[in-house]
Amino acid sequence: MKKKILAAAAMLGAVLMAATGCAGGAGTAGGGGGGDDVITVGFAQTGSESGWRAANTESMKEAFSEENGFDLVFNAADNKQEAQIAAVRNFINQGVDAIVIAPITVDGWDDVLTEAKDAGIPVILEDRTVSASDDLYASWVGLDFEQEGKTAGEWVKENFDGKGANLVVLEGTTGSSAALDRATGFDAAIEGTDITVMDSQTGDFTRDGGKKVMEGYLQKYGSDIDVLFAHNDDMGLGALDAIKAAGLVPGQDIQIVTIDAVKDGMTALANGEFNFIVECNPLLGEQAAELVKKVLAGEEVEKATIVEDQSFTQEQAKEVLDSRPY
Ligand code: GZL
């Protein structure tokens, strides 16, 4: 329930209880049963499509915990945009205090964000962004996807320009800001090289998707493929199965560059199956929770907060693997 309505209800309740001598907790409806200082937050997560998503969900649940003063209403939309929009509409109808969204795709958000604004419920975006006007959300915290794609492209250029290399791409979820911006950055970085992009299709950020699309690539192009760029580790990990099944050696016959740097990806990098990974930090929970508290307290907040990333070679992965937080 909205804090301000709850505060008035709690106040009235307290006055009535004092007047009539009634005992009992002043737990407020719609919250975690605590007093009126509990912040009820609806979090609309994309789903559980990848290792990155699991780490992001864990970070968000840790930050929006009861001991931190929150009552979290969590929804995972199974990577379906219409389900995620329906979840946000539900949060509005429940009268939550704030809404956090990791938007599956950039488009389709104007109506429901306008409804949240009209209902006086602030929206914070975490991870991906939307094409809607930025007056429809209070703030966004996430990563520079275009730079991630550029860093991956610069590695490919440095290692393959001038060799007439053939490259295939496993794209992330169609219409997601992560996939769109990574492609923009990558394409800009390899512009003007003699690297040929033979094919580029979506694997929807999943292992299964990456495996299926890579199987198709291998049937069509076989050993002509020199390099694979996967928009995330999970699709690259799925592609490993296909590459091995085709009798080729990943990391050697086909060199692989991915984005995320989750544990399984870094393990593949350390053991030589991947060749380069650009990190995409999923630990956004603390910053998202701080933004919610500041916005509800009426404090000024930055419209955009970008979290720093790094990148890893095979040698660097061996050094840091055991100390990685996710
Ligand atoms: C990036 C995030 C992407 C990851 C994928 O911030 O949106 O979605 O790169 C995840 O692993 O599925």
Side-chain angles (χ1 to χ4, degrees), residues 49-50 52-53 127-128 143 145 178 182 205 232 260 280:
E49 73 279 3
S50 64
W52 189 97
R53 192 60 56 194
D127 178 21
R128 301 178 192 170
L143 300 309
F145 300 134
R182 285 171 182 169
F205 281 134
N232 80 331
D260 274 352
C280 175

Side-chain angles (χ1 to χ4, degrees), residues 45 50-62 262-263 280-285 325-326:
Q45 180 58 292
S50 64
W52 189 97
R53 192 60 56 194
N56 179 249
T57 292
E58 188 179 343
S59 169
M60 295 292 285
K61 286 184 173 177
E62 271 172 19
V262 294
K263 186 70 86 175
C280 175
N281 190 335
L283 307 181
L284 304 174
Y326 56 87

